[in-house]
Amino acid sequence: MQQESLYIQDGHHQLHLRHIHQNQGGTPVLMLHGTIENGKIFYTLSGKGLACYLAKQGFDVYVADFRGKGESKPNLKQDAGHGQYEAITQDIPLFLDYIEQRCHQPMHLICHSWGGVLLASTLARYPQRCRQVASTLCFGTKRSIYRKTLSKRWTVDLLWNRLAPLLARKKGYIDAVKLKFGADNESLNFLHQSIEWVKPGKWCDPVDGFDYHQAAQSINWPRTWHITGASDHLLGYKEDVKAFIEESNAQATFSLLSKSAGNAIDYDHINILTHPYAIDDHFPEVARWLAQEE
């Protein structure tokens, strides 16, 4: 298995893709990470993670780092003047076009958490891009959080919605790594724009007012599967995931990974992709589901 870093030039930005493959000519898979993380949620340099697993099954895997995140250049400490609007309207279209030009066939899209919201937004805004997509598979993807629990009030209402923007105001980004509540930092613009969607309300763009919900109703969506874990009680809670399915692509399939359903453990928001059991538990099912499109 081989790994290499590829870069897409966009002005002074270089968007990073980690290319992981074992065989030439495999079906392409693009992976999109979520908020306060980067592409390493999907892979390690030593060969662990879903990206590496799928590469061993013959897929041609590309793991993205959004603008300013992971190995993309410059990082947020050097330039934090962008947000989720740029991820939707620039980054994802650039990733799709780059892989299409390399592979000359539709690709599978695998997303974690907020990455699935960003992807759905891109496809709703630019429905012609659905032709580039063979299928979409989302882990723990929700848009709004409807639960009213103490954990939600502390983690989302206080920390994310109020405290994080205050902390990010001075530098233009929240230093989530230094504060030890995320694997990567996030720009102030991204915080403001994503907070508008985490709060229950209309799925409209906070920058230009584009109505994603209305646009989504007339799209012929690619085959879509949403997966979350039984122990994900907040960031990918099952009912919030189902609510996003209803407002985006009501034909999508939904699965809850739990011991009662025959899985090894009740997975949470992170270990659904990182737990050692996953490689023998649900990763093989993911590979089989992707292969149905081939």
Side-chain angles (χ1 to χ4, degrees):
M1 186 174 63
Q2 299 179 357
Q3 294 193 28
E4 61 180 335
S5 286
L6 306 172
Y7 291 91
I8 304 171
Q9 194 75 37
D10 184 42
H12 70 283
H13 285 275
Q14 296 181 60
L15 305 182
H16 176 251
L17 284 168
R18 191 67 176 175
H19 184 207
I20 306 173
H21 60 104
Q22 184 164 281
N23 303 320
Q24 296 292 329
T27 302
V29 175
L30 171 61
M31 296 186 166
L32 302 174
H33 64 80
T35 310
I36 57 171
E37 65 183 24
N38 55 50
K40 287 189 176 178
I41 188 69
F42 293 112
Y43 74 96
T44 67
L45 298 180
S46 62
K48 297 178 182 178
L50 179 58
C52 299
Y53 175 85
L54 291 178
K56 292 174 184 176
Q57 311 309 309
F59 291 94
D60 190 18
V61 183
Y62 298 82
V63 184
D65 285 325
F66 283 112
R67 192 172 303 247
K69 311 295 287 295
E71 301 300 318
S72 289
K73 304 171 184 178
N75 60 39
L76 290 180
K77 294 181 180 180
Q78 300 165 310
D79 182 355
H82 46 83
Q84 74 169 16
Y85 181 80
E86 286 74 20
I88 293 167
T89 62
Q90 298 178 43
D91 295 4
I92 293 177
L94 284 167
F95 291 137
L96 292 173
D97 288 344
Y98 183 86
I99 295 171
E100 181 183 50
Q101 290 165 12
R102 281 179 62 98
C103 302
H104 307 291
Q105 60 178 303
M107 69 203 79
H108 300 288
L109 273 292
I110 297 180
C111 308
H112 181 236
S113 194
W114 203 253
V117 177
L118 299 176
L119 173 64
S121 301
T122 295
L123 296 182
R125 183 180 277 264
Y126 309 114
Q128 69 276 15
R129 291 192 170 277
C130 288
R131 65 171 179 77
Q132 297 175 297
V133 182
S135 71
T136 64
L137 194 163
C138 299
F139 288 91
T141 291
K142 56 84 191 61
R143 183 178 71 84
S144 299
I145 298 178
Y146 296 90
R147 298 202 82 189
K148 296 180 180 180
T149 63
L150 287 176
S151 176
K152 190 260 185 180
R153 290 172 184 170
W154 166 253
T155 305
V156 178
D157 296 341
L158 181 60
L159 179 59
W160 185 255
N161 291 355
R162 297 185 182 182
L163 185 58
L166 290 175
L167 294 173
R169 188 172 297 170
K170 182 178 180 180
K171 297 180 178 179
Y173 67 93
I174 180 71
D175 199 337
V177 175
K178 183 177 180 180
L179 295 171
K180 298 182 179 179
F181 70 87
D184 210 322
N185 303 324
E186 207 63 76
S187 74
L188 179 59
N189 286 340
F190 198 105
L191 287 172
H192 283 314
Q193 292 163 19
S194 63
I195 286 169
E196 290 299 312
W197 284 0
V198 171
K199 299 174 183 177
K202 292 184 177 180
W203 185 19
C204 293
D205 200 286
V207 174
D208 65 4
F210 184 88
D211 191 331
Y212 294 100
H213 177 260
Q214 182 179 19
Q217 307 315 303
S218 59
I219 291 176
N220 183 20
W221 289 96
R223 188 174 61 127
T224 303
W225 185 14
H226 282 266
I227 305 173
T228 197
S231 286
D232 193 340
H233 300 301
L234 182 61
L235 299 179
Y237 181 58
K238 59 183 180 180
E239 297 303 326
D240 293 340
V241 172
K242 291 177 182 178
F244 183 60
I245 291 173
E246 285 300 313
E247 73 173 349
S248 58
N249 175 13
Q251 302 304 312
T253 301
F254 172 80
S255 295
L256 182 68
L257 302 185
S258 65
K259 289 190 288 186
S260 63
N263 299 105
I265 63 169
D266 292 333
Y267 290 92
D268 64 27
H269 196 63
I270 298 298
N271 72 15
I272 196 170
L273 289 173
T274 62
H275 200 286
Y277 289 164
I279 194 170
D280 296 314
D281 202 355
H282 51 283
F283 283 7
E285 185 62 26
V286 167
R288 285 192 291 271
W289 188 83
L290 296 178
Q292 291 177 23
E293 288 289 317
E294 296 184 40

